[in-house]
Amino acid sequence: MSVDERAPAVARAVSPPIPARRRSPGPAKTLVVIAPLSLAIALGLWGIRRKNTMWGDESVTYQLAHRDLSQIWLTAQHIDLVHALYYAVMHEIFGLFGGGLLTLRLPSVLAMSAAASGVGLLALRLAGPRAGLLAGLVFPLLPQVQKYAQEGRSYAMVCALVTWATYALVASVPHRARWRWAVYGSTMLLACLLHEFAVLVLVAHGVTLVVARAPRPVLRAWSVAAAGVVAGLLPLAIYSAEQSEQVSWIGGPVRPGYFLVVAVVGVVCALAPLRVREPVRLSVLAVPILVLPGLLLLIASLVKPLFVDRYVVYSNIGIALLLGAGMDYFLRRKRSSRYAWIAAVAVLAVLVQPSLSLRMPQSRSNDVTAIGAAVRKEGRPGDGLLYLAGQHRILTAANPEDTRFLTDIALAQDPVSSNTLAGVELPAQEIAARMLEFDRIVVVRAVGVHSLTNPQEEAKTSTLRRHFREYGTTHVNGARVTVYVRDHDPSPKAGPGSDSPGASGGVMR
């Protein structure tokens, strides 16, 4: 045998194949995870107590999460079924860490922090390390993200789950492993069970795959996962539709300005030639997430008003990805990098004032802490207490001490025993008769909401108009607290209660 014929055999014997070694996460990936996470936690903890105040929706969470799981379920049969899972989660968290204000809001801080890391990893995978770092840092700075990172509601958790479901989607496209699609489907389903409108993300994901011309096996796998999410959500959607009066307060699109502005900015950023590292381009993923859910709600609002900005908080994922990738594009261009840094500093300066304002009680539509304090101040022991309308009883329920010495005139059954949010009220005639038993009545009215018209509310207003006169009103964020006195009482300040809280006279505040 010749030397030439033996050479391949020798080469094969001397150079056996080296097993492939799994690459460990590099420092860039670690930085993309840690830096956004740290910034989001820092911003979330900054002013988290909001001067120890709480607004109405948080008050609902606070009260329901303190009930037993069985009571939460029974209450959900009447109202707020769409949030039942969130209340159950918060009930368990309260059981572990106590039911204070920090415990109410910390889960949202941690959820938005997890979302920030997920946004960074998405941009890292789609456009590179610098784009990932920038997108992850931009996300927690967005005003809407800062706002809902400090609220005891489900929106931050939904945003985090949508972020990581989107990451699972992007990771599933090239690998096509069944377990990846199972992770994607289960994460999306959990997001939808926390808030039904998360299902709109499925539309955005579907459009992304179609525009990206994903292979048929990928489209088939996504379709199966999406069908599973819809099937899992369907029972909740059917039963919660019977509680559609919960959104009757939406008279038109609520705060659509922010959505429209970031949508335009995002589309402009998408026009830049961004880096492409995956089969799915960053702009093809980000623009549908940013635009489609909000746009679909706005279109639906032409028939029935449904658009509220917090329902699509997760659209901030899209704008953060586009801003991060856009900044990366300008920094890669040496001539434009200086202007990019100047623009970034200018934007940060502009964000200072909104960031400060979001941590003030006035940043929310009402302040149940201030409303309860006003009732305590204006009421005297033995006074009657009346809510216009009865559903606004929730505005003083966070601290029972505020109404401890007052008599709730219209209440027949309290919220806990009736498994409701605001309790059950007496018939109209009984309410009117009980009102006439009091010389002073403290009336709580919510402002900026539609007035209900039913026999009970008509009995309250007509009896006040015919037999009482207004003595003084205190204006607080989201409500008016008014003291009414009987016409036959010429001097409501006289008597033993003259030095008690609320005897300050007819001063309009």
Side-chain angles (χ1 to χ4, degrees), residues 344-376:
V345 172
V347 170
L348 288 175
V350 170
L351 285 175
V352 170
Q353 182 56 40
S355 299
L356 291 171
S357 299
L358 286 171
R359 286 155 179 84
M360 301 297 290
Q362 294 77 15
S363 64
R364 271 55 177 184
S365 58
N366 56 51
D367 180 357
V368 299
T369 309
I371 295 170
V375 170
R376 176 187 286 200

Side-chain angles (χ1 to χ4, degrees), residues 264-279:
V264 171
V265 172
V267 171
V268 171
C269 290
L271 299 177
L274 308 177
R275 284 182 174 177
V276 179
R277 293 176 44 142
E278 288 279 330

